[in-house]
Amino acid sequence: MPPRLHPHSNYTTSLFSATLLVSFMVVGLPHLIPCPAPRTVQRAEHRPRRDQHRVRKGSDSEEGGESKDSSKEDVKESEPPWDSAGESSRSDRSCPVPKPGGTIGGWLGFPQPKERPVVRIESTKTPRTPSKQEAKIVGKAPSYEKLVVHDDHDFTLKILQFDATVHRGSDEDPPVQKTLDLLVRKSKIMTPSFSATLHNMAKSGFRESFEASAVLKDHNVDAVAIIFREWFDRKDPETLKTGVNTVWEILNFAQKYEIRDLKEKLGSWFGKWFASMKNGPLMNDSSFHARLLYPAFRFDHAQAFQCATRYLTYNEVHAIEEQNPTDNETLHLPRRVTHSMRSGKGRIRNVCHRGLSSPVKPFLSGMSCDCHTRTFFGYFQELYQRGIFPFEEEVIRNTMNELLQRMRNFDWEPNAQDCSYCRRMSYRQHVEELADKVEKHYHGLCLDCMDRTLPKTGSDDSDYWRVNDLNQWDKKCRVRHGECTWYHSFMGRKERRDELVSEANKRKQRVRHGIDIDF
């Protein structure tokens, strides 16, 4: 830094002092010089005003004098409402130079402006008329339920269920549809063994830690009641009549409040619930099975998961996808499970396609008879008329069960005068047997096989793939299934699966040659 610009130098002090002095001169000089405004101004009454050009309606020619007087009165009323003419003249020739205001202006002797009146603008917008659906709900009182969870209760947990059909603003809650009061023992529910979230609320100084009640908003009342009933042994058979959407709400509430040991506490209830739904009409609904996938996976119910995956494989036209009826997008199956379901569906398509082509495949290699062309054409013409061929196009427009039903209606045989090779088999019987084979080929995914091949610290892959030697596909499984289910339930890496397949095939060859293997 140059010495002359040092903060403690005389040059710097002089520079800032001169700047301050010039600033005061610039501000004060316009007030010392005479004002450029003219001293004489026109009187207010001689100025042209809009009021003078107004014409009174309803004035007669006989009352001309009165109309002139009234026009003068109007002119006077339009002038500034000041008492003395001096104030008005001073106002007309006020100095155009701006003057300081506020406290500094008062110290310098400048008059302060009068306070402006406060103008309040009131909205004249009419209130919004509620819709018919909203009017019904608002006018209807919410249903109230009370559940005594503990006889020695000292805490009330109030659950509010909003109506999802009415949409309000972001700062306004929808109308309450149901209310549930849970009378519980505070020391039993606000513990880490039940809920980590409620335990943190109790020990973190929140309002719930010292009050005798708490409110939990936007939750399904039936789902919360089922959790507390099953957890604290207040079972009710009526809970088995609930829908699959309520089961999703149970999982949603358990995830939000970190309910521990949900599978152990509610696993038996889910099994009874699924048993009550097995003979119902929803078992023929694809939407029900798409919503059953994730709850069955979370509760580790092998029968329910196998049933859902098998039904969607044979009764879903498009790719298999689960459905989430809640707003929580984190509730879904692992990606590898979804991929396994779709690969199983592709497997049965390939088996069906290969079986339909096998009877006439030798005809393409060259035949000496003259009837093989007629047999080839007649076979595929019948498949086309039944809506089975071309298979690649029909399989993307119809479910597999629909195609299997059409295959059972297949009815065609070659002519009696054709050669023996063209009549070597019954084509109708072959297509019917193929339909039965495809229907029994895939049984859905197996949770036990999936669990044995999940990535773990210790590898159980060898034990899993040794069942290939004896063809015991469902060994140590809770459900019965075949090779296709066993193969597509593999949850490990594809490279590791291919390696183990090669090892299993080598063991199978050794068994065929009489070489014992230690298990």
Side-chain angles (χ1 to χ4, degrees):
M1 175 184 294
R4 61 178 181 274
L5 296 181
H6 195 274
H8 297 287
S9 65
N10 296 330
Y11 182 83
T12 304
T13 306
S14 305
L15 180 62
F16 279 94
S17 302
T19 303
L20 181 62
L21 181 60
V22 170
S23 62
F24 274 100
M25 291 179 61
V26 171
V27 175
L29 189 61
H31 303 287
L32 299 177
I33 299 175
C35 181
R39 292 289 181 176
T40 58
V41 295
Q42 297 179 356
R43 298 185 61 84
E45 59 269 14
H46 293 160
R47 292 181 180 178
R49 297 181 178 272
R50 290 182 300 174
D51 297 12
Q52 295 177 353
H53 298 284
R54 295 180 182 175
V55 179
R56 286 184 174 271
K57 296 182 179 180
S59 60
D60 298 332
S61 59
E62 297 177 358
E63 300 177 354
E66 296 179 1
S67 62
K68 292 180 180 180
D69 297 337
S70 61
S71 62
K72 292 182 180 180
E73 294 176 0
D74 293 340
V75 172
K76 293 181 179 179
E77 292 177 359
S78 64
E79 293 178 359
W82 294 314
D83 297 334
S84 62
E87 292 182 359
S88 176
S89 62
R90 285 196 302 267
S91 171
D92 291 337
R93 62 173 184 269
S94 60
C95 182
V97 178
K99 302 176 179 59
T103 306
I104 298 177
W107 290 347
L108 298 177
F110 294 106
Q112 300 299 318
K114 297 181 180 179
E115 295 183 357
R116 296 182 180 180
V118 179
V119 180
R120 299 183 181 274
I121 302 176
E122 297 183 358
S123 176
T124 58
K125 184 178 179 180
T126 57
R128 180 178 65 87
T129 304
S131 61
K132 295 182 179 180
Q133 184 181 14
E134 192 175 16
K136 291 181 181 179
I137 298 175
V138 173
K140 183 180 178 181
S143 60
Y144 172 77
E145 299 179 11
K146 183 174 69 172
L147 175 61
V148 181
V149 180
H150 302 111
D151 295 332
D152 55 344
H153 57 84
D154 59 352
F155 191 79
T156 301
L157 197 63
K158 184 180 291 294
I159 311 298
L160 301 182
Q161 178 179 343
F162 296 144
D163 184 35
T165 60
V166 179
H167 301 282
R168 297 289 182 87
S170 58
D171 56 344
E172 185 178 2
D173 292 334
V176 178
Q177 188 178 18
K178 292 183 179 180
T179 303
L180 172 65
D181 284 351
L182 297 172
L183 305 182
V184 297
R185 187 72 180 176
K186 190 174 182 179
S187 59
K188 294 183 179 180
I189 67 167
M190 292 192 173
T191 57
S193 60
F194 175 71
S195 170
T197 303
L198 295 179
H199 174 67
N200 294 333
M201 292 169 59
K203 71 175 185 179
S204 300
F206 289 99
R207 183 176 59 184
E208 292 80 8
S209 60
F210 53 84
E211 290 188 354
S213 63
V215 180
L216 303 181
K217 297 182 179 181
D218 198 13
H219 294 290
N220 188 277
V221 167
D222 298 333
V224 178
I226 292 174
I227 293 177
F228 279 83
R229 284 183 180 276
E230 295 297 323
W231 193 281
F232 297 103
D233 199 16
R234 296 283 181 172
K235 296 178 173 56
D236 185 6
E238 294 296 324
T239 58
L240 300 177
K241 299 179 181 180
T242 186
V244 67
N245 291 356
T246 305
V247 181
W248 275 82
E249 295 295 341
I250 292 175
L251 300 175
N252 187 18
F253 184 86
Q255 184 195 59
K256 183 176 182 179
Y257 292 95
E258 301 179 89
I259 305 296
R260 303 292 176 86
D261 302 330
L262 186 67
K263 183 175 67 175
E264 289 74 12
K265 294 293 184 179
L266 272 74
S268 59
W269 173 86
F270 182 81
K272 296 177 182 178
W273 174 83
F274 177 72
S276 65
M277 301 291 291
K278 283 189 76 171
N279 299 326
L282 292 177
M283 296 303 294
N284 297 323
D285 185 7
S286 297
S287 178
F288 171 77
H289 288 278
R291 299 183 182 188
L292 181 63
L293 288 172
Y294 182 72
F297 181 82
R298 281 291 306 274
F299 286 108
D300 193 26
H301 198 279
Q303 290 81 9
F305 191 75
Q306 183 190 43
C307 177
T309 52
R310 186 186 187 281
Y311 184 89
L312 292 175
T313 301
Y314 285 93
N315 295 275
E316 183 63 31
V317 179
H318 306 289
I320 299 177
E321 294 181 355
E322 57 179 327
Q323 295 183 8
N324 185 351
T326 67
D327 296 332
N328 189 353
E329 297 182 352
T330 62
L331 303 179
H332 59 80
L333 293 172
R335 295 184 182 275
R336 63 182 65 190
V337 177
T338 305
H339 176 73
S340 297
M341 290 190 298
R342 295 175 179 176
S343 62
K345 185 176 182 179
R347 172 76 176 273
I348 63 172
R349 287 181 176 181
N350 295 336
V351 171
C352 187
H353 192 200
R354 186 168 55 250
L356 290 174
S357 304
S358 60
V360 294
K361 187 177 180 180
F363 296 157
L364 300 177
S365 61
M367 298 290 294
S368 58
C369 64
D370 298 333
C371 57
H372 72 278
T373 305
R374 183 170 59 253
T375 304
F376 185 89
F377 176 78
Y379 175 76
F380 279 105
Q381 186 182 31
E382 179 68 14
L383 291 177
Y384 179 80
Q385 292 177 354
R386 294 292 179 180
I388 306 172
F389 183 82
F391 186 79
E392 296 85 354
E393 297 180 3
E394 297 296 336
V395 77
I396 63 176
R397 293 196 296 259
N398 304 276
T399 65
M400 185 56 63
N401 270 344
E402 292 175 348
L403 293 177
L404 296 180
Q405 184 61 36
R406 296 175 185 178
M407 292 170 61
R408 292 187 176 94
N409 296 331
F410 181 87
D411 188 11
W412 180 86
E413 295 292 346
N415 298 330
Q417 61 271 18
D418 292 341
C419 67
S420 59
Y421 187 83
C422 292
R423 292 185 292 105
R424 74 188 186 280
M425 60 182 301
S426 173
Y427 293 89
R428 179 180 57 83
Q429 182 180 357
H430 170 77
V431 176
E432 289 181 358
E433 291 177 353
L434 177 62
D436 296 337
K437 176 184 177 181
V438 173
E439 186 179 18
K440 299 176 182 179
H441 187 74
Y442 183 65
H443 300 87
L445 295 182
C446 176
L447 287 177
D448 296 325
C449 293
M450 293 166 59
D451 181 69
R452 283 195 291 269
T453 56
L454 285 173
K456 301 175 183 176
T457 304
S459 176
D460 297 330
D461 294 337
S462 299
D463 296 336
Y464 172 79
W465 284 98
R466 285 185 180 226
V467 299
N468 192 15
D469 297 327
L470 302 177
N471 293 337
Q472 297 178 358
W473 317 115
D474 50 6
K475 185 179 181 180
K476 298 180 181 180
C477 296
R478 290 172 289 175
V479 292
R480 304 294 95 187
H481 59 80
E483 180 269 341
C484 184
T485 295
W486 166 79
Y487 181 84
H488 290 283
S489 297
F490 185 82
M491 293 287 106
R493 295 181 62 87
K494 182 178 180 299
E495 295 80 4
R496 180 58 177 162
R497 182 184 64 182
D498 296 340
E499 180 182 350
L500 295 174
V501 168
S502 178
E503 295 177 2
N505 292 332
K506 293 179 180 179
R507 294 193 190 97
K508 184 182 294 186
Q509 294 179 1
R510 296 177 62 185
V511 171
R512 289 176 181 176
H513 290 85
I515 303 176
D516 296 333
I517 298 179
D518 296 333
F519 290 97

